[in-house]
Amino acid sequence: MNTWLNPLFIICTSTGLIFIVVAIITAKYPPKKINHIYGYRTKNSMKSKDRWDFAQEYSTDLMQKYGIVMVLLGFLGYFTSYSNMISTLISLGIIVFLTIIIFYKTEKAITERFVDKDV
């Protein structure tokens, strides 16, 4: 199998690059108002303008870092020879895991920073 066609390489690398590009765009053009369309949108982040602004910056930084991690992990596909099914499952597992970590860390940071500040 051509290593460049390995799903681990293709899926993780392309998703990581998308994360990086979206993070750069969001950092350069952050949502100015709380909205339901654009930005890091959770119940916790939308409680106040301060929380919203903090969540946008914090989640964007994490998204960029984990995008780089995804790209690097994607290059494992170049050096491994798992079946397409296994490579696809590994890729999806990495993406889901890192996305959950972004949400978990951002929500934890919001809660820690704004405890009792805007109740």
Side-chain angles (χ1 to χ4, degrees):
M1 171 175 39
N2 185 343
T3 53
W4 294 109
L5 297 178
N6 185 317
L8 179 58
F9 175 77
I10 293 170
I11 295 170
C12 273
T13 304
S14 59
T15 303
L17 290 173
I18 290 168
F19 269 48
I20 293 166
V21 169
V22 169
I24 291 169
I25 292 169
T26 305
K28 188 165 176 85
Y29 305 103
K32 298 188 185 335
K33 298 179 193 173
I34 298 172
N35 69 79
H36 292 283
I37 298 170
Y38 174 60
Y40 182 86
R41 302 170 317 276
T42 64
K43 189 175 182 180
N44 196 15
S45 70
M46 298 172 82
K47 284 183 179 179
S48 72
K49 180 74 165 102
D50 288 338
R51 283 177 183 241
W52 175 259
D53 292 339
F54 174 78
Q56 303 316 306
E57 186 175 335
Y58 193 90
S59 64
T60 297
D61 289 344
L62 287 179
M63 194 172 192
Q64 194 165 10
K65 288 176 188 171
Y66 288 129
I68 292 167
V69 169
M70 274 188 231
V71 169
L72 295 175
L73 289 173
F75 277 98
L76 288 175
Y78 185 74
F79 300 106
T80 61
S81 59
Y82 298 119
S83 71
N84 284 347
M85 178 62 80
I86 297 298
S87 293
T88 300
L89 291 174
I90 291 170
S91 299
L92 295 177
I94 290 169
I95 293 165
V96 168
F97 176 73
L98 292 178
T99 302
I100 289 169
I101 295 298
I102 291 170
F103 277 94
Y104 174 77
K105 285 186 168 188
T106 303
E107 292 300 306
K108 183 177 178 188
I110 294 168
T111 301
E112 287 174 357
R113 177 159 178 159
F114 295 98
V115 65
D116 297 329
K117 285 191 178 175
D118 54 6
V119 178

